[in-house]
Amino acid sequence: TSKSPNISFPFEMSEEEDSIVNYNGSAIILGRSGTGKTTVMLYRMLLQSQIFSQMNLPPRQLFVTASPMLCEAIKQAYENLSQKIIDPSNSI
C-alpha cells in the first residue's frame, strides 16, 4: 500500500469529512445543498490523484453532477488546487 501524501487543503475538515476524503474505496456522497459534499469530493479527487501519481499510475476517477455549471466550476477548482498542491508558492 502507498502512504497518503501530506496535503494541506485550504479549508479545515471535520472528522467525518476527513474520513470520507481518506476512505480507501469508492464513495458516493448524498446530502442537502450546502453540506460540503462537493468540497469533500474535490479534496478526495485531489488526494487520490496524488496517491496514484506516487505509484506512477493515472488516476481513475469519475465525478458526476447534473449541473454543467457545477461541472465547470469543479474542473476549474480542481486545476487551481492541483497547481497549488504541486507548487505551494502559487496562490489560488
Side-chain angles (χ1 to χ4, degrees):
T1 60
S2 112
K3 184 176 187 264
S4 292
N6 185 15
I7 297 176
S8 229
F9 292 116
F11 299 105
E12 215 170 298
M13 292 182 282
S14 69
E15 280 186 39
E16 185 177 22
E17 290 167 332
D18 188 65
S19 70
I20 293 167
V21 169
N22 290 289
Y23 177 71
N24 187 21
S26 298
I28 296 174
I29 308 298
L30 302 172
R32 295 189 323 222
S33 57
T35 57
K37 300 177 303 295
T38 302
T39 301
V40 165
M41 291 310 291
L42 176 62
Y43 287 0
R44 182 177 163 77
M45 289 173 16
L46 288 162
L47 178 64
Q48 292 296 313
S49 179
Q50 292 298 304
I51 291 169
F52 274 75
S53 177
Q54 287 180 349
M55 297 185 300
N56 293 319
L57 295 171
R60 293 178 38 172
Q61 304 181 85
L62 176 65
F63 183 90
V64 179
T65 180
S67 166
M69 283 181 20
L70 179 58
C71 183
E72 188 57 36
I74 292 302
K75 181 179 175 183
Q76 290 297 316
Y78 181 88
E79 290 170 0
N80 289 341
L81 285 172
S82 289
Q83 280 300 322
K84 181 68 174 163
I85 290 167
I86 292 166
D87 181 3
S89 67
N90 282 342
S91 59
I92 297 177

